[in-house]
Amino acid sequence: MTDLDSVWRLMNKSTLVGTITADDSGMPWLRGRFLPEPTFSQFKPWFDEVNTIVEAEEFERFDDAYDRIENALTLVSPAGPIAEFLLHIGQHRAWFRWYGEPATGQNSSWLGLAPRPRFTTRSGASVARVRW
């Protein structure tokens, strides 16, 4: 369980990209205020593209677009880095979900160990992350 008002960090290697202060939760999503750092500007178009894809329900394009985010950024919980996460950022809000505990080693990944998580778009469509 995650405490509201907890602060999560979005990182690119050792550079802080932004912080998320959790202020709302509704399984399976955690939502919060997003405070971008100047470096966020280089990643913002990626989040905008993913949000556009989801809104247009062009889900076949989702993985290719989201891979850039997943490969370049790390979400760090108050307890440490998270191995698997799905993050959306729009305006000054972020909403995300993650699986399990902070990554602690090679066996911390849950790929292949559980059913693929699903997420629901604003229009109510249910979608599975293809590689999750």
mmCIF file of all heavy atoms in Angstrom, residues 38-65:
data_model
loop_
_atom_site.group_PDB
_atom_site.id
_atom_site.type_symbol
_atom_site.label_atom_id
_atom_site.label_comp_id
_atom_site.label_asym_id
_atom_site.label_seq_id
_atom_site.Cartn_x
_atom_site.Cartn_y
_atom_site.Cartn_z
ATOM 1 N N PRO A 38 13.308 21.080 -15.470
ATOM 2 C CA PRO A 38 13.579 21.534 -16.848
ATOM 3 C C PRO A 38 13.883 20.390 -17.819
ATOM 4 O O PRO A 38 13.518 20.464 -18.996
ATOM 5 C CB PRO A 38 14.773 22.468 -16.682
ATOM 6 C CG PRO A 38 14.631 23.002 -15.290
ATOM 7 C CD PRO A 38 14.085 21.839 -14.485
ATOM 8 N N THR A 39 14.487 19.316 -17.346
ATOM 9 C CA THR A 39 14.827 18.190 -18.229
ATOM 10 C C THR A 39 13.600 17.448 -18.748
ATOM 11 O O THR A 39 13.704 16.699 -19.719
ATOM 12 C CB THR A 39 15.742 17.184 -17.514
ATOM 13 O OG1 THR A 39 15.115 16.779 -16.291
ATOM 14 C CG2 THR A 39 17.106 17.779 -17.217
ATOM 15 N N PHE A 40 12.434 17.646 -18.119
ATOM 16 C CA PHE A 40 11.225 16.965 -18.580
ATOM 17 C C PHE A 40 10.859 17.367 -20.006
ATOM 18 O O PHE A 40 10.262 16.577 -20.738
ATOM 19 C CB PHE A 40 10.046 17.244 -17.640
ATOM 20 C CG PHE A 40 8.773 16.580 -18.087
ATOM 21 C CD1 PHE A 40 8.640 15.202 -18.070
ATOM 22 C CD2 PHE A 40 7.706 17.338 -18.546
ATOM 23 C CE1 PHE A 40 7.470 14.583 -18.492
ATOM 24 C CE2 PHE A 40 6.534 16.731 -18.968
ATOM 25 C CZ PHE A 40 6.409 15.349 -18.938
ATOM 26 N N SER A 41 11.241 18.557 -20.411
ATOM 27 C CA SER A 41 10.861 19.034 -21.745
ATOM 28 C C SER A 41 11.307 18.093 -22.859
ATOM 29 O O SER A 41 10.639 17.999 -23.882
ATOM 30 C CB SER A 41 11.404 20.447 -21.990
ATOM 31 O OG SER A 41 12.816 20.431 -21.972
ATOM 32 N N GLN A 42 12.405 17.379 -22.680
ATOM 33 C CA GLN A 42 12.844 16.455 -23.729
ATOM 34 C C GLN A 42 12.000 15.184 -23.777
ATOM 35 O O GLN A 42 11.961 14.505 -24.798
ATOM 36 C CB GLN A 42 14.330 16.130 -23.596
ATOM 37 C CG GLN A 42 14.673 15.098 -22.551
ATOM 38 C CD GLN A 42 16.159 14.860 -22.437
ATOM 39 O OE1 GLN A 42 16.856 15.623 -21.799
ATOM 40 N NE2 GLN A 42 16.634 13.798 -23.049
ATOM 41 N N PHE A 43 11.293 14.861 -22.687
ATOM 42 C CA PHE A 43 10.469 13.652 -22.632
ATOM 43 C C PHE A 43 8.979 13.934 -22.800
ATOM 44 O O PHE A 43 8.208 13.027 -23.091
ATOM 45 C CB PHE A 43 10.707 12.915 -21.307
ATOM 46 C CG PHE A 43 12.145 12.580 -21.078
ATOM 47 C CD1 PHE A 43 12.907 13.295 -20.168
ATOM 48 C CD2 PHE A 43 12.759 11.566 -21.797
ATOM 49 C CE1 PHE A 43 14.238 13.003 -19.960
ATOM 50 C CE2 PHE A 43 14.093 11.258 -21.603
ATOM 51 C CZ PHE A 43 14.838 11.980 -20.679
ATOM 52 N N LYS A 44 8.573 15.159 -22.614
ATOM 53 C CA LYS A 44 7.157 15.521 -22.690
ATOM 54 C C LYS A 44 6.494 15.077 -23.996
ATOM 55 O O LYS A 44 5.387 14.532 -23.968
ATOM 56 C CB LYS A 44 6.969 17.018 -22.480
ATOM 57 C CG LYS A 44 5.497 17.427 -22.459
ATOM 58 C CD LYS A 44 5.342 18.917 -22.287
ATOM 59 C CE LYS A 44 3.887 19.353 -22.223
ATOM 60 N NZ LYS A 44 3.049 18.872 -23.304
ATOM 61 N N PRO A 45 7.136 15.254 -25.164
ATOM 62 C CA PRO A 45 6.482 14.793 -26.408
ATOM 63 C C PRO A 45 6.177 13.296 -26.408
ATOM 64 O O PRO A 45 5.195 12.863 -27.004
ATOM 65 C CB PRO A 45 7.492 15.151 -27.497
ATOM 66 C CG PRO A 45 8.309 16.254 -26.919
ATOM 67 C CD PRO A 45 8.389 15.965 -25.439
ATOM 68 N N TRP A 46 6.978 12.507 -25.720
ATOM 69 C CA TRP A 46 6.727 11.069 -25.654
ATOM 70 C C TRP A 46 5.444 10.792 -24.873
ATOM 71 O O TRP A 46 4.635 9.964 -25.288
ATOM 72 C CB TRP A 46 7.888 10.343 -24.998
ATOM 73 C CG TRP A 46 9.199 10.459 -25.711
ATOM 74 C CD1 TRP A 46 9.441 11.049 -26.924
ATOM 75 C CD2 TRP A 46 10.448 9.974 -25.244
ATOM 76 N NE1 TRP A 46 10.773 10.951 -27.228
ATOM 77 C CE2 TRP A 46 11.414 10.295 -26.220
ATOM 78 C CE3 TRP A 46 10.859 9.312 -24.097
ATOM 79 C CZ2 TRP A 46 12.748 9.964 -26.079
ATOM 80 C CZ3 TRP A 46 12.184 8.972 -23.955
ATOM 81 C CH2 TRP A 46 13.123 9.290 -24.940
ATOM 82 N N PHE A 47 5.270 11.469 -23.742
ATOM 83 C CA PHE A 47 4.057 11.286 -22.946
ATOM 84 C C PHE A 47 2.835 11.805 -23.698
ATOM 85 O O PHE A 47 1.770 11.188 -23.662
ATOM 86 C CB PHE A 47 4.199 11.980 -21.590
ATOM 87 C CG PHE A 47 5.108 11.239 -20.650
ATOM 88 C CD1 PHE A 47 6.441 11.585 -20.531
ATOM 89 C CD2 PHE A 47 4.623 10.178 -19.894
ATOM 90 C CE1 PHE A 47 7.280 10.895 -19.674
ATOM 91 C CE2 PHE A 47 5.460 9.478 -19.037
ATOM 92 C CZ PHE A 47 6.796 9.836 -18.930
ATOM 93 N N ASP A 48 2.996 12.925 -24.387
ATOM 94 C CA ASP A 48 1.885 13.459 -25.189
ATOM 95 C C ASP A 48 1.466 12.462 -26.263
ATOM 96 O O ASP A 48 0.267 12.249 -26.498
ATOM 97 C CB ASP A 48 2.281 14.788 -25.843
ATOM 98 C CG ASP A 48 2.463 15.909 -24.841
ATOM 99 O OD1 ASP A 48 2.013 15.781 -23.676
ATOM 100 O OD2 ASP A 48 3.074 16.931 -25.217
ATOM 101 N N GLU A 49 2.448 11.841 -26.922
ATOM 102 C CA GLU A 49 2.137 10.859 -27.968
ATOM 103 C C GLU A 49 1.391 9.655 -27.384
ATOM 104 O O GLU A 49 0.389 9.200 -27.951
ATOM 105 C CB GLU A 49 3.416 10.393 -28.660
ATOM 106 C CG GLU A 49 3.136 9.355 -29.738
ATOM 107 C CD GLU A 49 4.393 8.798 -30.386
ATOM 108 O OE1 GLU A 49 5.498 9.019 -29.873
ATOM 109 O OE2 GLU A 49 4.240 8.115 -31.414
ATOM 110 N N VAL A 50 1.855 9.137 -26.258
ATOM 111 C CA VAL A 50 1.190 7.989 -25.633
ATOM 112 C C VAL A 50 -0.245 8.352 -25.248
ATOM 113 O O VAL A 50 -1.174 7.573 -25.492
ATOM 114 C CB VAL A 50 1.993 7.493 -24.412
ATOM 115 C CG1 VAL A 50 1.164 6.546 -23.552
ATOM 116 C CG2 VAL A 50 3.270 6.811 -24.872
ATOM 117 N N ASN A 51 -0.446 9.532 -24.679
ATOM 118 C CA ASN A 51 -1.807 9.945 -24.309
ATOM 119 C C ASN A 51 -2.704 10.060 -25.536
ATOM 120 O O ASN A 51 -3.873 9.666 -25.505
ATOM 121 C CB ASN A 51 -1.771 11.263 -23.541
ATOM 122 C CG ASN A 51 -1.150 11.102 -22.170
ATOM 123 O OD1 ASN A 51 -1.074 10.008 -21.631
ATOM 124 N ND2 ASN A 51 -0.691 12.205 -21.608
ATOM 125 N N THR A 52 -2.174 10.571 -26.624
ATOM 126 C CA THR A 52 -2.933 10.672 -27.874
ATOM 127 C C THR A 52 -3.305 9.295 -28.400
ATOM 128 O O THR A 52 -4.441 9.072 -28.841
ATOM 129 C CB THR A 52 -2.127 11.457 -28.929
ATOM 130 O OG1 THR A 52 -1.892 12.779 -28.432
ATOM 131 C CG2 THR A 52 -2.852 11.522 -30.254
ATOM 132 N N ILE A 53 -2.380 8.360 -28.344
ATOM 133 C CA ILE A 53 -2.628 6.993 -28.805
ATOM 134 C C ILE A 53 -3.747 6.347 -27.989
ATOM 135 O O ILE A 53 -4.659 5.717 -28.532
ATOM 136 C CB ILE A 53 -1.334 6.156 -28.739
ATOM 137 C CG1 ILE A 53 -0.378 6.603 -29.853
ATOM 138 C CG2 ILE A 53 -1.623 4.665 -28.818
ATOM 139 C CD1 ILE A 53 1.020 6.039 -29.721
ATOM 140 N N VAL A 54 -3.689 6.512 -26.673
ATOM 141 C CA VAL A 54 -4.708 5.920 -25.803
ATOM 142 C C VAL A 54 -6.070 6.562 -26.074
ATOM 143 O O VAL A 54 -7.080 5.870 -26.201
ATOM 144 C CB VAL A 54 -4.309 6.034 -24.322
ATOM 145 C CG1 VAL A 54 -5.452 5.624 -23.411
ATOM 146 C CG2 VAL A 54 -3.074 5.176 -24.048
ATOM 147 N N GLU A 55 -6.103 7.882 -26.156
ATOM 148 C CA GLU A 55 -7.373 8.575 -26.419
ATOM 149 C C GLU A 55 -7.983 8.167 -27.756
ATOM 150 O O GLU A 55 -9.196 8.045 -27.880
ATOM 151 C CB GLU A 55 -7.176 10.091 -26.382
ATOM 152 C CG GLU A 55 -6.958 10.636 -24.990
ATOM 153 C CD GLU A 55 -8.165 10.436 -24.087
ATOM 154 O OE1 GLU A 55 -9.307 10.636 -24.536
ATOM 155 O OE2 GLU A 55 -7.953 10.073 -22.915
ATOM 156 N N ALA A 56 -7.128 7.945 -28.770
ATOM 157 C CA ALA A 56 -7.604 7.547 -30.096
ATOM 158 C C ALA A 56 -7.868 6.042 -30.191
ATOM 159 O O ALA A 56 -8.321 5.558 -31.222
ATOM 160 C CB ALA A 56 -6.585 7.960 -31.161
ATOM 161 N N GLU A 57 -7.550 5.323 -29.091
ATOM 162 C CA GLU A 57 -7.710 3.872 -29.045
ATOM 163 C C GLU A 57 -6.952 3.171 -30.167
ATOM 164 O O GLU A 57 -7.395 2.174 -30.721
ATOM 165 C CB GLU A 57 -9.189 3.481 -29.019
ATOM 166 C CG GLU A 57 -9.895 4.016 -27.794
ATOM 167 C CD GLU A 57 -11.320 3.558 -27.637
ATOM 168 O OE1 GLU A 57 -11.787 2.728 -28.443
ATOM 169 O OE2 GLU A 57 -11.972 4.031 -26.686
ATOM 170 N N GLU A 58 -5.771 3.669 -30.479
ATOM 171 C CA GLU A 58 -4.882 3.065 -31.471
ATOM 172 C C GLU A 58 -3.864 2.202 -30.729
ATOM 173 O O GLU A 58 -2.658 2.430 -30.779
ATOM 174 C CB GLU A 58 -4.199 4.154 -32.285
ATOM 175 C CG GLU A 58 -5.166 4.972 -33.110
ATOM 176 C CD GLU A 58 -4.522 6.137 -33.827
ATOM 177 O OE1 GLU A 58 -3.320 6.420 -33.609
ATOM 178 O OE2 GLU A 58 -5.228 6.788 -34.609
ATOM 179 N N PHE A 59 -4.358 1.193 -30.026
ATOM 180 C CA PHE A 59 -3.560 0.428 -29.095
ATOM 181 C C PHE A 59 -2.428 -0.360 -29.750
ATOM 182 O O PHE A 59 -1.439 -0.675 -29.086
ATOM 183 C CB PHE A 59 -4.458 -0.491 -28.276
ATOM 184 C CG PHE A 59 -5.545 0.266 -27.573
ATOM 185 C CD1 PHE A 59 -6.874 -0.009 -27.821
ATOM 186 C CD2 PHE A 59 -5.234 1.287 -26.690
ATOM 187 C CE1 PHE A 59 -7.875 0.695 -27.175
ATOM 188 C CE2 PHE A 59 -6.224 2.002 -26.042
ATOM 189 C CZ PHE A 59 -7.551 1.705 -26.284
ATOM 190 N N GLU A 60 -2.551 -0.648 -31.019
ATOM 191 C CA GLU A 60 -1.470 -1.366 -31.699
ATOM 192 C C GLU A 60 -0.194 -0.527 -31.747
ATOM 193 O O GLU A 60 0.896 -1.055 -31.917
ATOM 194 C CB GLU A 60 -1.896 -1.795 -33.112
ATOM 195 C CG GLU A 60 -2.160 -0.655 -34.085
ATOM 196 C CD GLU A 60 -3.521 0.025 -33.940
ATOM 197 O OE1 GLU A 60 -4.358 -0.410 -33.119
ATOM 198 O OE2 GLU A 60 -3.741 1.020 -34.648
ATOM 199 N N ARG A 61 -0.306 0.778 -31.560
ATOM 200 C CA ARG A 61 0.861 1.668 -31.571
ATOM 201 C C ARG A 61 1.429 1.911 -30.177
ATOM 202 O O ARG A 61 2.493 2.497 -30.025
ATOM 203 C CB ARG A 61 0.470 3.021 -32.183
ATOM 204 C CG ARG A 61 0.063 2.941 -33.637
ATOM 205 C CD ARG A 61 -0.332 4.296 -34.205
ATOM 206 N NE ARG A 61 0.605 5.338 -33.828
ATOM 207 C CZ ARG A 61 0.247 6.595 -33.515
ATOM 208 N NH1 ARG A 61 -1.010 6.963 -33.563
ATOM 209 N NH2 ARG A 61 1.148 7.489 -33.174
ATOM 210 N N PHE A 62 0.711 1.465 -29.158
ATOM 211 C CA PHE A 62 1.067 1.819 -27.785
ATOM 212 C C PHE A 62 2.460 1.337 -27.381
ATOM 213 O O PHE A 62 3.266 2.114 -26.863
ATOM 214 C CB PHE A 62 0.026 1.282 -26.802
ATOM 215 C CG PHE A 62 0.307 1.687 -25.384
ATOM 216 C CD1 PHE A 62 -0.142 2.900 -24.905
ATOM 217 C CD2 PHE A 62 1.048 0.867 -24.542
ATOM 218 C CE1 PHE A 62 0.130 3.296 -23.602
ATOM 219 C CE2 PHE A 62 1.321 1.251 -23.243
ATOM 220 C CZ PHE A 62 0.862 2.464 -22.781
ATOM 221 N N ASP A 63 2.758 0.060 -27.555
ATOM 222 C CA ASP A 63 4.034 -0.477 -27.079
ATOM 223 C C ASP A 63 5.231 0.231 -27.690
ATOM 224 O O ASP A 63 6.185 0.562 -26.984
ATOM 225 C CB ASP A 63 4.137 -1.981 -27.329
ATOM 226 C CG ASP A 63 3.435 -2.780 -26.246
ATOM 227 O OD1 ASP A 63 3.221 -2.240 -25.145
ATOM 228 O OD2 ASP A 63 3.106 -3.944 -26.505
ATOM 229 N N ASP A 64 5.195 0.455 -28.991
ATOM 230 C CA ASP A 64 6.322 1.132 -29.635
ATOM 231 C C ASP A 64 6.519 2.537 -29.076
ATOM 232 O O ASP A 64 7.653 2.975 -28.849
ATOM 233 C CB ASP A 64 6.136 1.203 -31.156
ATOM 234 C CG ASP A 64 6.315 -0.153 -31.815
ATOM 235 O OD1 ASP A 64 6.975 -1.032 -31.221
ATOM 236 O OD2 ASP A 64 5.785 -0.330 -32.926
ATOM 237 N N ALA A 65 5.424 3.232 -28.830
ATOM 238 C CA ALA A 65 5.529 4.592 -28.293
ATOM 239 C C ALA A 65 5.979 4.579 -26.836
ATOM 240 O O ALA A 65 6.805 5.396 -26.430
ATOM 241 C CB ALA A 65 4.188 5.310 -28.432
#
